[in-house]
Amino acid sequence: MKNLAHPALNRHIKMQARLFYRMYDVAQDVARKSTLERAVRQHMAVVDRFPTVLDLINDMFLAVMTSSLKIGAHNCHVSIRPLYTILMPSLMQKSSDAKSDTVAIMDKVTKPPESVRNAGYFHEDLSQLRDRVHEGVCEENMRPVPMLMPEKRRVLASEEETDNIRAGAICYVEELVKVLNKNVSMSLDTFIMHDLREELTNTTARDAFKKLPEDSYFMAFGTFEAAIEDAFSKDVDSLDRVFMHVCP
C-alpha cells in the first residue's frame, strides 16, 4: 500500500501545484483584459511596464507556493502513514454490516417502545438517555475483533483456509481504500488548499523574498528593498531608452 499511496500522493500534489500556478497566470491575463473593472486593467497595464518587477513578484509567488506545498505534502504523508504501516483487523468487518449494527443499536437505545409512544407519557431525562447510549456504545466496542487468520491452524494451510485468508485480505484492502480516500481528501483540503490560502494571505513581501531559491537572480541583493529598487531602476532605464528611440 505504501508503494502505491506514496508516489500517487506526490504526483497528485505536483499536479495541483501546476494547476495553482496556471490559475495565477490566468488571473494576470484576466486582469489585463478585464472588462468589468477599469481600475484593475489600468493597474495591470502599469505593472506590465516594469517586467523585471513583475518577474520578481512571480518568483516570490512561486517560492511561497512551493514552500507551502512541501510542508503540506509532508503533513499529508504523515496523516496516511498509519494506514499502511499497521494492520487494523476491525476493517475486516463489512461496511454494510457495520451500518446495520449501528442503526440497530441507536434504535434500541434512543427509541422508546411503541406502546409507550402511543400512550403519550414517555418522559426520559437526558441523563438516563445518555446512560443508555453509553451502554450501547460499550457493547459495540466489546464485540470480538475479526482476525485475518484463525488462531489454530496448521503449518501448511489447506486450500479452503488459503481461500479464506485471501478473501479476508481482499476485504481488508477494500475497507482500507475507503478509509484512505476519506483521509486523503480531508488532508488535501486542509494541508494543501487551506494552508496555501492562509500562507498567501499572511506572508509579507519580505517573508516571500526570503523563500526565494538560492540560485535566484534576486537573492544576490540580500533584501527585498534592494532587489525591488534594482528591478525598478532597470525597468525605468529601459523605458527611457524606448522613449528616446521613439521621440529623439
Side-chain angles (χ1 to χ4, degrees):
M1 182 60 69
K2 175 182 179 180
N3 295 335
L4 295 175
H6 196 87
L9 185 58
N10 283 341
R11 180 176 177 82
H12 182 76
I13 295 176
K14 290 178 181 178
M15 294 300 295
Q16 281 192 318
R18 296 182 60 182
L19 177 61
F20 292 153
Y21 197 79
R22 176 58 180 167
M23 293 172 63
Y24 175 73
D25 287 339
V26 171
Q28 289 185 354
D29 188 64
V30 170
R32 293 185 180 95
K33 303 176 181 178
S34 178
T35 58
L36 299 179
E37 297 185 13
R38 182 180 178 182
V40 175
R41 186 171 65 254
Q42 291 176 345
H43 291 329
M44 197 63 199
V46 174
V47 174
D48 286 336
R49 297 176 184 175
F50 303 92
T52 309
V53 176
L54 184 59
D55 289 341
L56 175 59
I57 296 174
N58 294 339
D59 289 350
M60 290 194 301
F61 171 81
L62 182 61
V64 173
M65 184 188 70
T66 303
S67 175
S68 177
L69 292 184
K70 285 182 178 179
I71 298 175
H74 174 73
N75 291 334
C76 287
H77 284 298
V78 171
S79 67
I80 68 172
R81 182 170 175 264
L83 299 179
Y84 57 71
T85 303
I86 62 175
L87 290 176
M88 293 180 291
S90 59
L91 294 181
M92 292 289 297
Q93 186 177 6
K94 294 289 187 180
S95 58
S96 58
D97 296 339
K99 182 178 180 181
S100 60
D101 293 344
T102 303
V103 172
I105 291 176
M106 294 305 297
D107 289 344
K108 180 178 66 176
V109 300
T110 59
K111 293 184 179 180
E114 186 68 24
S115 59
V116 176
R117 291 200 302 268
N118 294 336
Y121 54 83
F122 178 75
H123 298 286
E124 184 177 28
D125 58 26
L126 294 179
S127 61
Q128 294 177 350
L129 180 60
R130 180 194 58 196
D131 295 338
R132 296 175 62 190
V133 172
H134 179 70
E135 293 176 0
V137 173
C138 291
E139 293 178 1
E140 174 70 10
N141 293 335
M142 293 299 294
R143 184 175 51 191
V145 177
M147 302 297 294
L148 290 173
M149 294 181 291
E151 294 183 359
K152 295 181 180 180
R153 58 184 184 277
R154 297 183 299 274
V155 177
L156 298 177
S158 62
E159 293 185 0
E160 181 179 359
E161 291 176 343
T162 302
D163 292 339
N164 292 335
I165 294 173
R166 290 175 178 173
I170 293 174
C171 177
Y172 179 83
V173 172
E174 290 177 350
E175 295 299 321
L176 181 61
V177 169
K178 295 178 183 179
V179 177
L180 189 63
N181 286 335
K182 296 179 181 179
N183 190 290
V184 169
S185 178
M186 296 178 65
S187 297
L188 290 173
D189 290 343
T190 301
F191 301 124
I192 301 300
M193 302 293 292
H194 178 269
D195 287 0
L196 177 59
R197 183 171 61 248
E198 292 292 323
E199 186 74 11
L200 293 174
T201 302
N202 300 327
T203 302
T204 63
R206 293 184 179 88
D207 294 336
F209 181 82
K210 294 177 181 178
K211 297 178 183 293
L212 289 175
E214 295 182 357
D215 57 350
S216 175
Y217 164 77
F218 300 102
M219 284 297 292
F221 299 97
T223 62
F224 169 74
E225 289 79 3
I228 195 69
E229 183 178 355
D230 179 79
F232 183 77
S233 61
K234 284 185 177 181
D235 292 335
V236 170
D237 293 340
S238 178
L239 288 175
D240 291 340
R241 288 193 298 268
V242 171
F243 290 145
M244 291 178 62
H245 178 73
V246 176
C247 303

